[in-house]
Amino acid sequence: MKDIVLKKFEEVFGDAEGVKVFFAPGRVNLIGEHTDYNGGHVFPCALTIGTYGVARVREDRKLRFFSMNFERLGIIESSLEELKPSKEAGWTNYPKGVMWAFGEKGYQVPAGMDILLNGNIPNGSGLSSSASVEVVVGAMLREFFGFQVGNQDLALIGQFAENNFNGVNCGIMDQFAIAMGKKDHAIFLDTADLSYTYAPVKMAGAKIVIACSNKKRGLGDSKYNERRSECETALAELQKVVEIGGLGDLSEEQFEEYKSAIKDPVRIRRAKHAVYENQRTIKAVEALKANDIAQFGQMMNASHVSLRDDYEVTGIELDTLVEEAWKVEGVIGSRMTGAGFGGCTVSIVEDGAIDAFIKQVGEAYRAKIGYAADFYVVEIGDGPCIL
Ligand code: GLA
């Protein structure tokens, strides 16, 4: 891939003098969904697919961007004087947002840049292609301008850009999983204080399979923000009767004891998901550490049911993929992953069952939904690097 992006850079920008090549992964969350903005736990991992980037510093303050994923848009020009979000800027709002965010944190980008990106994460799949772009651009700025920031800072700056430049009120999970990724490990992160440990994901005889629904996301972002505010309201209601900083502070028993403080049945279900999913994530990681993959899979399945029935972020596409997966012999666990409303599912499938899984789930999905799903057998990779 390094050769491909270098060659393309040369073709697009005339020469490749002074460039460096970077990579940042995509991510998949194994369990702990919609818990990261509720002070709960998440358990994502970085993938070996992600975003490749070639960059160099310019002598002026111009910014020139090119994406191999949106070739027909050609070179998109801007400058350091124009670090404001705009509709016309399209995908370049992500790199520009990161440059702006560095400035806000006290690291002014001093010179213009030429940047080419090429991602091999399926577009809009819910495997965090935007967070991957944010982290790869952060890694470029750190390298070229000597900014003293660690990988965790790259995650926080990326999230800051996403929240304040691109207007998506996301939690920290995606950027953290990408910036802090470790080969063959998932990250058990407590979003209340950002403490984390790595847990080896060694599943002898099984693999992680991602099924992409190919559903075009429409209302996704606004629904996401709606769920967030439902949880915030529920938290405020609970805080009248119990001293907590986030829904992640409650055990299941405490939630049942105090839930009548929440004055709306829908909000009770939303908060219930946040509390139970957090506890489920803690238990799932314990099961994985004890090598009890079957139990881990059961937790994944229960996570999906809760996201479907209580949090209501699945939809017929994701439900079909998961419910069909559950029917396949050799599937250890299956659930939607990421924000929901479209995007992907993640399944743990025994090696010998992968072909049958792809065939059976794929056929049933096409028959019911009317178009195909895509399947990827993935591996867990490292965080950002210079190639
Ligand atoms: C999106 C957000 C994350 C997280 C997940 C749901 O991926 O970017 O912060 O909230 O949804 O778990």
Side-chain angles (χ1 to χ4, degrees), residues 201-219:
V201 180
K202 40 175 179 11
M203 295 175 299
K207 294 208 166 52
I208 300 173
V209 185
I210 288 169
C212 188
S213 70
N214 288 327
K215 184 195 176 188
K216 295 274 160 290
R217 288 226 205 129
L219 287 171

Side-chain angles (χ1 to χ4, degrees), residues 27 32-34 36-37 170-174 224 338-339:
R27 71 94 186 91
E33 215 65 82
H34 289 280
D36 68 343
Y37 50 84
C170 68
I172 187 62
M173 172 170 74
D174 303 347
Y224 181 90

Side-chain angles (χ1 to χ4, degrees), residues 27 29 32-37 42 126 128 130-131 159 162 168-175 217 224 228 273 307 311 335-340:
R27 71 94 186 91
N29 188 21
E33 215 65 82
H34 289 280
T35 48
D36 68 343
Y37 50 84
V42 292
S128 290
S130 63
Q159 184 202 17
E162 185 90 42
V168 180
N169 218 357
C170 68
I172 187 62
M173 172 170 74
D174 303 347
Q175 290 81 3
R217 288 226 205 129
Y224 181 90
R228 258 198 99 135
H273 168 77
L307 288 156
Y311 217 61
R335 57 181 288 276
M336 61 149 269
T337 183

Side-chain angles (χ1 to χ4, degrees), residues 1-2 4-6 8 22-24 49-54 66-71 91 115-121 123 132-133 136 140:
M1 186 62 96
K2 188 176 174 185
I4 296 174
V5 288
L6 275 173
K8 192 71 186 182
F22 300 79
F23 172 78
I49 52 175
T51 312
Y52 292 81
V54 187
F66 185 89
S67 167
M68 291 172 70
N69 300 86
F70 303 102
E71 286 223 15
W91 71 268
I115 293 178
L116 174 140
L117 296 182
N118 185 23
N120 58 2
I121 306 170
N123 274 345
S132 177
V133 167
V136 84
M140 290 170 182

